[in-house]
Amino acid sequence: MQRVSLKFLAKELGIAEGTVSRALNDYPDISEATRERVKEVAKKFNYKANQNARRLATGVAEAVAYLMPPNTHAISEPFVSQLLEGLGSSLAKRGWDLLVVQASSPETEAETVEKLSSSGKVSGVVISRPYKEDRRIELLKKYNVPFIVHGRSVNSEDYAWYDVDGEKAFHDGVGILAELGHQNIAFIGAPTDYNFGQMRLDGYRRGLASNNLTLDEAIIKIVDMSDDAGAAATAKMLGLPHPPTAILCATDTQAFGALAAIREAGLTPGIEVSVLGYDGLDFGKHTNPPLTTMAQPQSHSGEEICDMLLAIIDGGNPVDYQELRSAILVRRMSVGPVRPQ
Amino acid sequence: MQRVSLKFLAKELGIAEGTVSRALNDYPDISEATRERVKEVAKKFNYKANQNARRLATGVAEAVAYLMPPNTHAISEPFVSQLLEGLGSSLAKRGWDLLVVQASSPETEAETVEKLSSSGKVSGVVISRPYKEDRRIELLKKYNVPFIVHGRSVNSEDYAWYDVDGEKAFHDGVGILAELGHQNIAFIGAPTDYNFGQMRLDGYRRGLASNNLTLDEAIIKIVDMSDDAGAAATAKMLGLPHPPTAILCATDTQAFGALAAIREAGLTPGIEVSVLGYDGLDFGKHTNPPLTTMAQPQSHSGEEICDMLLAIIDGGNPVDYQELRSAILVRRMSVGPVRPQ
DNA sequence: CGCTAGACCGAAAGCGCTTTCGGAATCAAT
DNA sequence: ATTGATTCCGAAAGCGCTTTCGGTCTAGCG
């Protein structure tokens, strides 16, 4: 099976290799006649340029990488899937590739980033869920790779990012609960080395203050983002002498666990204890009871992020690409007014 | 910023480019001394080989592609995420890349596959959820790309695949329900142009036969794999003069909908109407009631599939790589004995 | 001490494409 | 008919790496 290369086409057409290349790439110095002739023959032989040669010659990769969050099972989280989907389809429209790369361990992360930037494999990268201080971001800046962050680190002035305002969401979340009469509002948070974890906690705190509620460390639990962790934290708080009547959760998954723990304690979520989640997972409508949550408007985040990244690759100034979205409340059944004790 | 290339290293070391390359790649004809010297300098300058050049020279891509299912939002399905995660980490261990490619539309699918195979971008590809007759498989065979199918098409003798025996699972599923006294077992299936849809339906039918149950077309619904579709189908069947006492669902997502529809009808799932799902989604433990389901043992499917693919890329015969796994029952609360009417 | 066999490295070709540069051919204008 | 511009294409030089081939040098042997 003869591999059809430029050389092959050139021979077939009786013209020079370079001419074929220029014809295929619509250079202006090729006559209409030969351009068409070339393209026809190319189609006939089903010519597909070797991407590696092309990339080597042009120096542009026409590919972007998504750097998976370092923690395990991260890809199973819906937000990753949605992001990938959007990125993938946007990229595909332009004929670019999407690389999904995982650092095998936190130690090799730097190595991975370096390799990504130095090996010419990609023209840009996107990462998610930065830590407050994130090494990946530093490396990306250092190696001068166009990148965009899904989320923000603490110092986010000088790079491009796309984020949902979790601080505001949790501030407002407390307000929603307070308005329903809740005074004893617990918080189940995510690890605060993640900046989003910190911001949601900050929002919660500010929300408390805005509503003249006192902060009680006993009903603030920073735990893993899993249902089991959410359940354990909830169980513990329910055993308090003065248990919370509402629980604000940093993630829906934790909220699922909270629901379970409340039922386990013989109480009814949404009636005796309200639960407000965050993420807007579709699945929340099937829990018992359906979960009220603050949804990230991330249906098109992948596309937006892709557009932003491409703009930066094309020479745009990263600082011009910082998008902050707001979460929106999805009312279901897990939040209700406080009941008289 | 001087790009550190082989040439650069060679000059730095005062030896030939080829020698540097061979040293770095552990060729046996390089003395231990220079090998170390080379590697040291390479590390010092943080040398990373340009992958495009490397690939061009060697002709091997060291990358595999996952071809996304053509339907939209496919990536959000947990099985895709899990697969990607496994593939990604296995590949990463070997320093290979994972490309996620989406055909922008069914029409461009052939084009996509062609390009993938001819452009030298990847050494192998994996696809999921084949149709009974699947064009992608034909194309992959035609272009002689190593590939492996997650699932099987109707004629699966001559290529490599990894599948879970849905036929058996549904046959046994009927048995489980029948043993609990159910005689009127409904089936909510997936579109039968997907081969897995057909196989699960076949299994259901054979299960009916094995248990001397009569097949009633009125309680067989082939619908989309969504919760809404599952709910609608369930609602319809519940309105029948002789409604089913148990429902077997082709996917957990449909089962979630079924649960909702049953509650909507004022009945209690797991008591008045049993629901048995398939997929083993972790999330099923949070439904109301928790969903009993047949789980795909897919936690490591990504790794296994990766190993199989690499073996084929290394020259293995695809036919030697056909793995059939069994589903395992996860007992939760949505299945119970039939109640006296 | 001469000869052969390794051990080790340099030189160079090539992977398949892009892109610059210059030359040939065509054409219009003087 | 000469010149100057254009138009179009061929030739060739890379892009950064791998890999073969042969040559030099040392060591080991008789």
Side-chain angles (χ1 to χ4, degrees), chain A residues 1 3 46 48-53 55-56 60-61 68 71-78 80-82 84-90 92-93 95-104 111 114-121 142-144 227-228 253 256-257 260 263 282-288 290, chain B residues 1 3 46 48-53 55-56 60-61 68 71-78 80-82 84-90 92-93 95-104 111 114-121 142-144 227-228 253 256-257 260 263 282-288 290:
Chain A
M1 189 158 117
R3 204 157 162 15
N46 216 324
K48 298 275 180 283
N50 180 310
Q51 289 301 314
N52 298 318
R55 287 171 181 168
L56 177 57
V60 346
M68 291 280 298
N71 51 329
T72 44
H73 300 295
I75 199 174
S76 303
E77 300 187 37
V80 176
S81 312
Q82 291 195 15
L84 279 182
E85 184 176 3
L87 277 178
S89 67
S90 281
K93 272 180 209 141
W96 283 38
D97 289 335
L98 173 60
L99 246 66
V100 174
V101 347
Q102 286 177 321
S104 25
E111 172 82 8
E114 280 180 5
K115 190 157 180 189
L116 222 42
S117 32
S118 317
S119 68
K121 281 197 284 209
K142 173 176 164 199
Y143 287 104
N144 212 26
D227 48 0
D228 287 341
T253 309
F256 296 157
R263 289 191 313 259
D282 214 48
F283 182 79
K285 59 183 171 185
H286 293 296
T287 53
N288 177 16
Chain B
M1 187 159 122
R3 203 158 164 12
N46 216 326
K48 298 276 181 283
N50 179 309
Q51 288 302 313
N52 298 318
R55 287 170 182 171
L56 178 57
V60 346
M68 292 277 299
N71 50 327
T72 45
H73 300 297
I75 202 174
S76 304
E77 301 188 36
V80 176
S81 312
Q82 291 195 14
L84 280 183
E85 183 176 3
L87 278 178
S89 67
S90 283
K93 274 179 210 143
W96 283 39
D97 289 335
L98 174 59
L99 246 65
V100 174
V101 347
Q102 286 177 321
S104 26
E111 173 82 10
E114 281 180 6
K115 191 159 181 188
L116 221 45
S117 33
S118 317
S119 68
K121 281 197 284 209
K142 175 176 162 196
Y143 287 103
N144 213 26
D227 49 359
D228 287 341
T253 310
F256 297 157
R263 288 191 313 257
D282 214 46
F283 182 79
K285 59 184 169 188
H286 293 296
T287 54
N288 177 13

Side-chain angles (χ1 to χ4, degrees), chain B residues 5-335:
Chain B
S5 59
L6 262 197
K7 192 197 291 185
F8 175 87
L9 288 189
K11 204 163 290 177
E12 195 72 22
L13 284 154
I15 61 179
E17 228 176 297
T19 306
V20 179
S21 170
R22 287 196 313 267
L24 256 17
N25 291 319
D26 289 324
Y27 271 56
D29 64 343
I30 299 289
S31 74
E32 193 58 32
T34 65
R35 189 203 318 290
E36 276 177 16
R37 208 161 62 88
V38 169
K39 288 196 175 180
E40 192 179 325
V41 174
K43 197 177 302 163
K44 172 177 161 203
F45 285 101
N46 216 326
Y47 169 76
K48 298 276 181 283
N50 179 309
Q51 288 302 313
N52 298 318
R54 174 166 237 280
R55 287 170 182 171
L56 178 57
T58 60
V60 346
E62 297 198 335
V64 334
Y66 176 67
L67 203 49
M68 292 277 299
N71 50 327
T72 45
H73 300 297
I75 202 174
S76 304
E77 301 188 36
F79 90 93
V80 176
S81 312
Q82 291 195 14
L83 191 61
L84 280 183
E85 183 176 3
L87 278 178
S89 67
S90 283
L91 253 15
K93 274 179 210 143
R94 297 170 169 84
W96 283 39
D97 289 335
L98 174 59
L99 246 65
V100 174
V101 347
Q102 286 177 321
S104 26
S105 73
E107 297 79 49
T108 58
E109 203 169 65
E111 173 82 10
T112 304
V113 173
E114 281 180 6
K115 191 159 181 188
L116 221 45
S117 33
S118 317
S119 68
K121 281 197 284 209
V122 298
S123 335
V125 355
V126 0
I127 68 173
S128 321
R129 281 209 177 156
Y131 296 107
K132 281 194 231 169
E133 314 281 339
D134 203 291
R135 252 172 90 212
R136 296 168 299 175
I137 296 178
E138 297 313 314
L139 287 167
L140 256 7
K141 285 199 286 201
K142 175 176 162 196
Y143 287 103
N144 213 26
V145 198
F147 71 100
I148 139 154
V149 179
H150 183 215
R152 277 174 291 170
S153 61
V154 167
N155 296 309
S156 56
E157 303 82 28
D158 61 345
Y159 60 84
W161 46 261
Y162 175 101
D163 199 9
V164 176
D165 196 345
E167 206 274 345
K168 174 167 171 298
F170 278 76
H171 170 271
D172 296 354
V174 172
I176 290 165
L177 264 8
E179 215 153 277
L180 290 165
H182 295 279
Q183 310 251 358
N184 212 5
I185 303 172
F187 177 72
I188 295 180
T192 51
D193 37 353
Y194 288 118
N195 197 37
F196 80 85
Q198 182 66 54
M199 287 167 58
R200 293 176 196 180
L201 175 58
D202 291 347
Y204 163 76
R205 285 200 169 120
R206 194 164 61 83
L208 250 30
S210 295
N211 291 278
N212 296 315
L213 262 21
T214 60
L215 185 147
D216 177 2
E217 292 291 347
I219 54 172
I220 296 183
K221 300 277 182 196
I222 304 300
V223 302
D224 281 350
M225 299 168 285
S226 71
D227 49 359
D228 287 341
T234 303
K236 210 166 289 176
M237 294 192 292
L238 255 22
L240 254 27
H242 203 58
T245 61
I247 304 178
L248 201 46
C249 296
T251 72
D252 275 358
T253 310
Q254 292 171 330
F256 297 157
L259 256 24
I262 291 166
R263 288 191 313 257
E264 192 73 22
L267 301 169
T268 307
I271 306 291
E272 277 130 329
V273 184
S274 288
V275 174
L276 178 54
Y278 182 91
D279 271 342
L281 295 195
D282 214 46
F283 182 79
K285 59 184 169 188
H286 293 296
T287 54
N288 177 13
L291 183 68
T292 300
T293 181
M294 297 178 284
Q296 307 198 38
Q298 59 192 2
S299 47
H300 294 101
S301 58
E303 282 87 340
E304 290 193 59
I305 288 177
C306 182
D307 289 342
M308 290 165 70
L309 181 57
L310 290 175
I312 294 171
I313 291 172
D314 284 343
N317 185 353
V319 179
D320 296 337
Y321 298 90
Q322 301 180 334
E323 297 278 345
L324 190 58
R325 297 273 179 265
S326 291
I328 46 185
L329 185 67
V330 176
R331 290 181 195 279
R332 289 198 281 241
M333 308 295 294
S334 69
V335 168

